[in-house]
Amino acid sequence: MNEIIREKILRNLETNSRIDLHDLAIMLDCDEVDLVNEVSKMEQEKIICGYHTLINWDNTSKEIVTALIEVKVSPQRGIGFDVIAERIAKFPEVTSCYLMSGGFDFMVLIEGKSMKEVARFVFDKLSTLESVLSTSTHFVLKKYKDHGVNLVEKKKDERIMVSA
């Protein structure tokens, strides 16, 4: 399949991973078998890395604290940032880990049951890694948009219209 169709497949799956591949083939005007084979090929190539459900935990009774942690490290000669990133990413609390440009090296996103649990993770696990020079933790207070999805509904104007 050509790159344009491949990108359209990816965009559609990114927006709705539950889309029926038969319906997607119709939408993209391509053969269903070819589309299924292409999706399988992209999974094997690790272009498609997983299928996730986005949950707005604020609308549930479960308490989850999300934190973004800026991490400065001292990269090791010959191995750079990759080994450090792999060590950080292995922690079960870590949901994402990104190498960044700017004033710090990594942005680490974690989830915990409480601020105290997040603080304990930073203090006991993250900051004790040999290459970590410093951390700065930011707690997410409210999510408005996540993975391209608006999480907050626009409030309706319920005022009564008055005319003179």
Side-chain angles (χ1 to χ4, degrees):
M1 287 197 158
N2 69 39
E3 288 299 314
I4 294 171
I5 296 294
R6 212 171 200 221
E7 184 178 338
K8 287 181 180 180
I9 292 169
L10 293 171
R11 293 279 179 213
N12 278 278
L13 288 175
E14 187 175 45
T15 303
N16 179 8
S17 63
R18 293 182 61 177
I19 191 167
D20 184 86
L21 295 182
H22 172 77
D23 294 340
L24 183 56
I26 292 169
M27 287 171 46
L28 299 179
D29 193 29
C30 62
D31 182 71
E32 182 179 352
V33 173
D34 290 343
L35 184 131
V36 169
N37 289 337
E38 193 65 28
V39 168
S40 178
K41 184 177 172 185
M42 288 189 284
E43 289 170 345
Q44 291 170 0
E45 294 172 0
K46 296 293 184 197
I47 293 170
I48 298 174
C49 299
Y51 299 89
H52 300 278
T53 301
L54 179 62
I55 299 169
N56 186 350
W57 289 104
D58 289 343
N59 291 342
T60 71
S61 60
K62 183 150 177 82
E63 291 291 325
I64 292 182
V65 174
T66 303
L68 292 87
I69 306 166
E70 299 172 354
V71 183
K72 287 185 183 181
V73 299
S74 175
Q76 298 170 352
R77 183 183 301 263
I79 55 176
F81 293 102
D82 292 345
V83 171
I84 301 166
E86 287 175 22
R87 286 193 66 197
I88 293 171
K90 282 183 182 177
F91 291 115
E93 298 89 344
V94 173
T95 60
S96 300
C97 181
Y98 305 105
L99 180 63
M100 304 296 291
S101 64
F104 54 94
D105 301 304
F106 293 109
M107 174 62 73
V108 178
L109 279 70
I110 73 162
E111 290 183 346
K113 294 176 185 170
S114 65
M115 288 183 162
K116 188 174 189 175
E117 185 177 272
V118 170
R120 194 174 297 121
F121 167 80
V122 174
F123 181 76
D124 291 340
K125 295 180 180 179
L126 188 59
S127 65
T128 60
L129 292 176
E130 187 177 313
S131 300
V132 172
L133 300 174
S134 67
T135 64
S136 178
T137 303
H138 308 274
F139 289 97
V140 174
L141 303 178
K142 183 174 183 175
K143 292 182 183 179
Y144 293 94
K145 189 173 186 175
D146 196 0
H147 290 83
V149 177
N150 288 320
L151 300 178
V152 179
E153 290 184 33
K154 196 173 187 180
K155 294 186 179 182
K156 292 181 182 179
D157 187 357
E158 296 183 9
R159 296 178 292 179
I160 299 172
M161 185 181 265
V162 179
S163 59

